[in-house]
């Protein structure tokens, strides 16, 4: 009798242990448990720790609340300025509502992946190439907003979206390299021209200062000679002062008194030559010179009006002109 009682107690204890083992569920710290009783969500979400369920009636499904890193496959698209690019990204999200993540969507990871791919294609078509290369922060925010809008209803929160790489065609890379090289060369030329302008202004100020103080120019020449001599070369430098060049230039030109004396001598010589030639025809001492024209051997003399009645010019046919 006692033996049967002990066997019954042992059997009950074993059944209790089996039942307890089937009813106990352990939820980890980074997990939450959703209890389905006969296919329906029952009660609140189970917290981390030891939880009991009814075997064969309840089913506890755990959901990971850690941040999930989901790589987005590279998507090929055409930008707004008609450039073909391949862009890949990465999405960081986590589950904030375990019941919604299990009930409202079949596979929330696959759903987030597909939404990220379509959103990435849309961002590529709305953006320019320069924005994809330089203004990625703004594109990341826009992409995060596009993915997070439908994911909120699934109990998922998108923490961050990052564009990892933008792949360009080889021809576009070469064109961009030439553009960058040309821009660098332009900036170098501008900087060089600016330096030349500043140097010319400083040299002009130095020349003005040396013009006011000639001794400074001599000291500068001596410094140049010392600098050349310090190199220990065979070049011989003979600096010529600028004042010497001006003196030599003035020496080849006549002075103002010499020019006046040469001009007076030339005028006297011209007057002497005119005296040697004598008076010209039609010239009389003390009176005006009259032009004389002749036909044959007798010159024609014009009639000079003396205030009387008009006179007719007389043409001479002999050797002696007839004067009216």
């Amino acid at each position: 009798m006692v033996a049967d009682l002990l066997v019954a107690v042992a059997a009950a204890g074993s059944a209790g242990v089996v039942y307890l083992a089937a009813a106990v569920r352990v939820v980890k710290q980074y997990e939450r448990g959703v209890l389905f009783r006969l296919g329906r969500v029952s009660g609140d979400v189970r917290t981390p720790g030891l939880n009991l369920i009814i075997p064969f009636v309840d089913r506890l499904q755990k959901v990971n609340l850690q941040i999930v890193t989901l790589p987005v496959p590279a998507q090929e698209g055409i930008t707004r300025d008609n450039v073909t690019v391949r862009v890949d990204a990465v999405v960081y999200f986590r589950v904030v509502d375990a019941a919604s993540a299990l009930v409202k969507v079949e596979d929330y990871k696959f759903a987030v992946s597909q939404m990220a791919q379509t959103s990435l294609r849309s961002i590529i078509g709305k953006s320019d190439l320069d924005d994809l290369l330089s203004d990625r922060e703004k594109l990341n925010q826009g992409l995060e907003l596009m993915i997070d809008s439908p994911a909120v209803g699934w109990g998922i929160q998108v923490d961050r979206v990052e564009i990892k790489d933008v792949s360009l065609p080889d021809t576009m890379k070469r064109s961009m390299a030439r553009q960058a090289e040309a821009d660098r060369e332009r900036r170098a030329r501008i900087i060089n021209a600016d330096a030349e302008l500043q140097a010319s202004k400083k040299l002009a100020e130095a020349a003005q200062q040396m013009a006011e103080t000639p001794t400074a120019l001599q000291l500068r020449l001596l410094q140049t000679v010392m600098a050349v001599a310090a190199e220990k070369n065979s070049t011989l430098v003979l600096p010529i002062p600028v004042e010497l060049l001006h003196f030599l230039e003035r020496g080849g030109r006549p002075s103002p008194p010499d020019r006046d004396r040469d001009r007076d001598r030339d005028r006297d010589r011209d007057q002497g030559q005119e005296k040697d030639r004598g008076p010209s025809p039609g010239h009389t001492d003390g009176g005006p010179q009259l032009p004389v024209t002749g036909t044959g051997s007798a010159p024609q003399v014009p009639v000079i009006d003396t205030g009387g009645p008009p006179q007719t010019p007389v043409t001479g046919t002999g050797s002696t002109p007839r004067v009216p």
Side-chain angles (χ1 to χ4, degrees):
M1 197 64 177
V2 176
D4 294 338
L5 182 60
L6 293 176
V7 171
V9 171
S14 300
V17 171
V18 172
Y19 179 82
L20 185 62
V24 172
R25 294 289 186 271
V26 177
V27 179
K28 297 180 181 180
Q29 182 65 36
Y30 55 86
E31 294 177 338
R32 294 295 183 270
V34 179
L35 182 63
F36 291 92
R37 179 168 293 172
L38 299 177
R40 299 179 62 181
V41 177
S42 177
D44 296 333
V45 177
R46 299 303 175 91
T47 58
L50 186 63
N51 294 273
L52 297 176
I53 63 174
I54 301 175
F56 309 108
V57 176
D58 296 340
R59 184 173 63 88
L60 185 65
Q61 190 167 351
K62 302 175 184 179
V63 179
N64 193 340
L65 299 185
Q66 291 178 321
I67 295 177
V68 180
T69 303
L70 180 65
V72 181
Q75 302 297 313
E76 185 173 356
I78 300 176
T79 61
R80 190 167 56 182
D81 50 355
N82 298 325
V83 178
T84 303
V85 295
R86 290 178 60 88
V87 182
D88 55 352
V90 59
V91 181
Y92 301 92
F93 70 94
R94 62 189 180 91
V95 177
V96 293
D97 189 355
S100 298
L102 292 176
V103 175
K104 295 184 178 181
V105 63
E106 181 181 1
D107 187 353
Y108 63 89
K109 292 184 179 180
F110 181 76
V112 172
S113 176
Q114 295 300 314
M115 180 59 66
Q117 294 181 30
T118 55
S119 301
L120 184 58
R121 283 180 174 271
S122 179
I123 285 293
I124 293 174
K126 295 179 181 179
S127 305
D128 295 331
L129 179 61
D130 294 338
D131 296 336
L132 288 175
L133 297 177
S134 59
D135 197 6
R136 293 190 179 182
E137 188 66 27
K138 182 179 179 180
L139 297 179
N140 293 337
Q141 295 177 359
L143 189 58
E144 178 182 349
L145 182 62
M146 294 178 66
I147 300 174
D148 189 59
S149 297
V152 171
W154 303 337
I156 296 172
Q157 179 182 353
V158 178
D159 289 342
R160 191 171 184 83
V161 181
E162 293 286 346
I163 295 177
K164 292 195 301 183
D165 188 22
V166 178
S167 300
L168 300 175
D170 294 338
T171 55
M172 181 59 64
K173 291 181 180 179
R174 289 193 293 268
S175 299
M176 294 178 66
R178 290 195 299 268
Q179 179 183 0
E181 184 179 358
D183 183 68
R184 291 291 181 180
E185 184 177 0
R186 178 183 63 84
R187 292 171 59 184
R189 290 184 178 181
I190 291 176
I191 294 174
N192 190 16
D194 191 14
E196 292 292 338
L197 177 60
Q198 295 179 5
S200 62
K201 290 181 180 179
K202 294 299 181 181
L203 288 176
E205 294 177 1
Q208 184 178 2
Q209 186 67 25
M210 288 183 179
E212 296 176 357
T213 308
T215 308
L217 180 60
Q218 299 296 331
L219 294 176
R220 183 59 182 169
L221 291 175
L222 293 176
Q223 290 179 358
T224 305
V225 173
M226 293 178 60
V228 173
E231 297 294 335
K232 297 181 180 181
N233 51 20
S234 59
T235 304
L236 180 61
V237 179
L238 296 176
I240 300 177
V242 181
E243 291 80 0
L244 179 59
L245 298 178
H246 289 318
F247 176 75
L248 296 176
E249 182 180 0
R250 290 195 302 267
R253 300 177 182 177
S255 60
D258 295 338
R259 289 199 300 268
D260 296 339
R261 185 170 56 256
D262 294 340
R263 185 170 59 253
D264 295 340
R265 185 173 60 253
D266 294 339
R267 185 172 63 252
D268 295 340
R269 185 176 63 252
D270 294 340
Q271 292 178 357
Q273 292 178 357
E274 292 178 357
K275 291 180 181 180
D276 294 339
R277 287 197 299 267
S280 59
H283 179 270
T284 58
D285 296 336
Q289 298 182 3
L290 303 176
V292 180
T293 58
T295 57
S297 59
Q300 295 181 0
V301 180
V303 178
I304 301 175
D305 189 5
T306 59
Q311 299 180 4
T312 304
V314 179
T315 303
T317 57
S319 59
T320 303
R322 297 174 62 182
V323 181

